Each structure stands twice: as structure tokens, then as C-alpha cells.
């Protein structure tokens, strides 16, 4: 059975396959949207790959800040690739069916990478904290070994927790409908399809969000409170402007990512709207990753100089 496959066991309809509705409610815009999303995906791949290449080939950029930026760019490529190619294929082929295993795999990878982004943003804020508040100790504290350990911790720490949460969510019975009113398998629309009392599972989602999203955000706030306090004590306006410029790009990315994601995940289940959820998800899963390379490149003189140097070589 397709587009409505269920297996009836007793009084419970067990869903074996889902249908990602995506943007099927906009049939006349399918071609336009697929073209826009294809362009956005190409921009994300090219922009973030360019940052990774520049940090590898330009000695000026071989610093801890750019090491973490390269990790962040690699993360953005993986993060977008979990959802966008699947969406594009669905729009091109009009086949929106996704198996239970594929859906669980997508949700697991998306959750792991989203949590990794929160942790990596916290690590990047710590790097800026040490650079501005303890500049004399910066080379010693942020040595290559420490940078590698921090990056590895950001990439690996969320995996066991998010794998466990994915298993918990997919241990639920999904009944009455197998249609996910979203463009990828995400936690809020999946919880809507679950039958029975899901309060315990919702609580576990909030606990995990507190651990992997709110705690890193509080660390970022603590870092920037110290950073801003230190910058304001600098004697010259030029020094304050230079210090602010090294942090402004990262701070803007933090505000955009956390602002859109928190509205989606920290609202009660009853107040979720499919249209609003899709719009917010587009913002933090696709649009912000597209803008991130621009934010970091256009606001960074060393990055602009590295781009010019690379273009002159070619």
C-alpha cells in the first residue's frame, strides 16, 4: 500500500510508511520552489566548501578561530544535506513516501547535527572569550591539541543522547494517519501522529533540548557577557571596534539560529501550526546555512583577503 500504508493490529493502526507532504499544498509552485531550493543548496555547498578550502591553504587563516569556522562549515554542509536533497527528489519525482527506517534515520542525523551546531557555537564563543579576555594566554590555552579535543567533543557528545531519543520516539505507536505535514521527519510533526499519552516523551524532548541547546546557549551568554565587559574597558574606540568585529559574525549566527529554532521547539504541542513550523524550519535548516558563509566572509577582512589571493592565483 502506498500513500496510506497501515497495518491493522487489534484496535490500533500501525503505520509502516510515512508520507512527507512538504509543499504539496502549493502544486503550482513546485517547479519554482525546486529551482529556488536547488540554487540555495548549490550556494551552501560552494560557500561552505570555499571556507574549508581557504582555511586549509591560506596560512593566515590557520588559527583556532578559523579551525572552528571550517568545522562549522563542514557541519552546515552535513546539516543541510540531511533534509534538502530528500526534499528536492520528492519535488522532482512527486514521490513523497518515506519508510519508517528512513524517517528514523533522517530524524536521528538531523537531531545529532542540530545539537552539534549548538555545542560548536558554544565552543566558538569560548574561543572568542579566551582571545579577547585572556589574549596573552590565548596561544597556550587554544593550542592545536585543545582545539581538536573541543571540536571532537562538539561533534561526538550529542550522538548517544540523540540516538537514544530517536529510538524512544520511534517506539511510539503512530496511528490514524501516516501523513507528516512537514518537509522532513522532525520531532514536533512526528509527535502529532503518535497515539496515546505522549507527555513522558514530550518531557524527555524538553530535557534533551535543555541539555544540548539551552545549556550551550547559557555558556554562550556567559562568554559574551565577559567579552562585552572586557571590550567596554578597552581604552580606545579603535580597539573596541576591532574586538567587536571579531565577535559580531558569530553573535549574529547565534541569534539567527537560536531565535528561529527556539520558537519551533519550545512551544507546547497544542500551539504548533504546520505552516508556521515549515516556515521556521526553512529558516534555520536552509536559509541561515546559506547566509552563514556570507556573514563570516563579508564581515572578516582576513577572509576577504584570502578570497582575493585565491582568485588571483587562479
Amino acid at each position: 500500500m502506498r500513500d496510506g500504508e497501515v497495518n491493522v493490529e487489534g484496535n490500533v493502526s500501525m503505520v509502516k510508511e510515512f508520507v512527507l507532504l512538504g509543499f504539496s499544498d502549493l502544486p503550482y509552485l513546485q517547479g519554482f520552489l525546486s529551482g529556488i531550493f536547488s540554487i540555495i543548496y548549490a550556494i551552501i555547498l560552494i560557500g561552505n566548501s570555499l571556507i574549508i578550502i581557504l582555511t586549509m591553504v591560506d596560512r593566515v587563516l590557520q588559527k583556532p578561530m578559523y579551525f572552528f569556522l571550517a568545522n562549522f562549515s563542514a557541519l552546515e554542509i552535513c546539516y543541510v544535506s540531511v533534509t534538502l536533497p530528500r526534499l528536492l527528489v520528492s519535488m522532482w519525482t512527486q514521490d513523497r513516501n518515506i519508510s519508517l527506517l528512513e524517517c528514523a534515520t533522517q530524524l536521528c542525523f538531523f537531531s545529532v547535527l542540530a545539537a552539534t551546531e549548538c555545542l560548536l557555537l558554544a565552543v566558538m564563543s569560548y574561543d572568542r572569550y579566551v582571545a579577547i579576555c585572556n589574549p596573552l594566554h590565548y596561544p597556550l590555552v587554544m593550542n592545536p591539541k585543545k582545539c581538536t579535543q573541543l571540536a571532537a567533543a562538539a561533534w561526538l557528545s550529542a550522538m548517544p543522547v540523540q540516538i537514544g531519543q530517536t529510538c524512544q520516539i520511534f517506539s511510539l505507536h503512530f496511528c490514524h494517519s501516516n501523513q507528516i505535514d512537514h518537509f522532513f521527519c522532525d520531532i514536533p510533526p512526528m509527535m502529532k501522529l503518535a497515539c496515546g499519552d505522549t507527555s513522558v516523551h514530550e518531557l524527555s524532548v524538553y530535557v534533551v533540548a535543555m541539555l544540548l541547546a539551552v545549556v550551550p546557549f547559557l555558556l554562550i551568554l556567559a562568554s559574551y557577557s565577559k567579552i562585552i565587559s572586557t571590550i567596554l574597558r578597552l581604552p580606545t574606540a579603535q580597539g573596541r571596534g576591532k574586538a567587536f568585529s571579531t565577535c559580531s559574525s558569530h553573535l549574529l549566527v547565534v541569534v539567527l539560529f537560536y531565535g528561529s529554532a527556539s520558537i519551533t521547539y519550545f512551544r507546547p504541542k497544542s500551539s504548533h501550526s504546520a505552516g508556521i513550523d515549515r516556515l521556521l524550519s526553512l529558516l534555520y535548516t536552509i536559509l541561515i546555512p546559506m547566509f552563514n558563509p556570507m556573514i563570516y566572509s563579508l564581515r572578516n577582512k582576513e577572509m576577504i583577503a584570502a578570497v582575493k589571493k585565491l582568485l588571483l592565483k587562479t
Side-chain angles (χ1 to χ4, degrees):
M1 287 178 286
R2 310 292 285 180
D3 293 336
E5 183 172 345
V6 293
N7 181 27
V8 179
E9 295 182 3
N11 294 323
V12 180
S13 298
M14 303 293 292
V15 174
K16 298 298 182 183
E17 187 175 60
F18 295 103
V19 181
L20 287 168
L21 296 181
F23 299 94
S24 58
D25 56 337
L26 303 170
Y28 301 108
L29 292 177
Q30 294 297 297
F32 173 76
L33 289 175
S34 65
I36 293 294
F37 291 148
S38 297
I39 293 170
I40 290 174
Y41 190 44
I43 292 172
I44 291 169
L45 293 179
I46 294 169
N48 285 290
S49 297
L50 180 61
I51 288 177
I52 295 170
I53 292 168
L54 288 173
T55 57
M56 292 174 62
V57 302
D58 196 309
R59 289 188 177 183
V60 176
L61 301 183
Q62 291 176 359
K63 303 174 184 178
M65 181 176 76
Y66 297 108
F67 169 76
F68 293 123
L69 180 55
N71 272 268
F72 188 72
S73 294
L75 174 63
E76 293 289 73
I77 291 173
C78 297
Y79 182 63
V80 175
S81 297
V82 170
T83 58
L84 195 47
R86 180 68 176 76
L87 172 61
L88 288 172
V89 170
S90 296
M91 297 179 85
W92 291 335
T93 63
Q94 296 300 303
D95 181 7
R96 298 184 176 88
N97 294 283
I98 184 169
S99 70
L100 191 72
L101 178 60
E102 289 172 335
C103 191
T105 302
Q106 187 183 54
L107 176 60
C108 183
F109 274 101
F110 177 79
S111 300
V112 168
L113 294 170
T116 301
E117 182 151 349
C118 295
L119 295 170
L120 193 54
L121 286 171
V123 168
M124 293 169 78
S125 71
Y126 173 72
D127 171 69
R128 292 298 84 208
Y129 161 75
V130 177
I132 292 173
C133 300
N134 297 289
L136 297 178
H137 296 95
Y138 183 67
L140 182 63
V141 175
M142 300 304 290
N143 57 70
K145 183 179 179 181
K146 180 72 170 290
C147 291
T148 303
Q149 289 173 341
L150 287 171
W155 279 94
L156 300 175
S157 297
M159 284 187 182
V161 177
Q162 294 292 24
I163 290 172
Q165 180 172 260
T166 302
C167 292
Q168 184 187 43
I169 290 173
F170 278 85
S171 67
L172 291 166
H173 294 305
F174 300 100
C175 54
H176 310 306
S177 174
N178 69 337
Q179 295 186 341
I180 302 173
D181 198 357
H182 210 357
F183 61 90
F184 68 97
C185 294
D186 197 8
I187 293 173
M190 295 301 302
M191 297 293 277
K192 280 186 176 181
L193 299 183
C195 45
D197 183 15
T198 60
S199 56
V200 174
H201 294 81
E202 288 182 56
L203 179 61
S204 72
V205 170
Y206 278 107
V207 170
V208 170
M210 291 291 291
L211 178 65
L212 297 177
V214 176
V215 171
F217 182 65
L218 293 176
L219 293 175
I220 293 170
L221 288 181
S223 296
Y224 273 101
S225 65
K226 293 285 188 179
I227 289 169
I228 292 171
S229 176
T230 301
I231 290 174
L232 293 176
R233 292 199 302 267
L234 293 176
T236 64
Q238 183 180 3
R240 289 193 293 270
K242 184 177 180 181
F244 269 120
S245 69
T246 63
C247 303
S248 58
S249 298
H250 176 258
L251 192 56
L252 180 57
V253 170
V254 169
V255 170
L256 290 172
F257 176 76
Y258 270 99
S260 57
S262 60
I263 295 172
T264 300
Y265 290 102
F266 287 96
R267 288 179 296 151
K269 181 181 177 182
S270 58
S271 67
H272 279 270
S273 163
I276 297 298
D277 284 351
R278 277 184 296 174
L279 186 62
L280 289 169
S281 296
L282 278 177
L283 183 60
Y284 70 83
T285 61
I286 297 175
L287 295 180
I288 292 176
M290 179 184 69
F291 289 125
N292 283 348
M294 303 176 196
I295 292 170
Y296 278 108
S297 300
L298 296 178
R299 300 177 63 87
N300 189 301
K301 293 180 180 179
E302 289 180 330
M303 190 66 71
I304 292 172
V307 172
K308 289 179 179 178
K309 193 187 301 183
L310 183 66
L311 292 176
L312 289 174
K313 283 184 180 180
T314 56

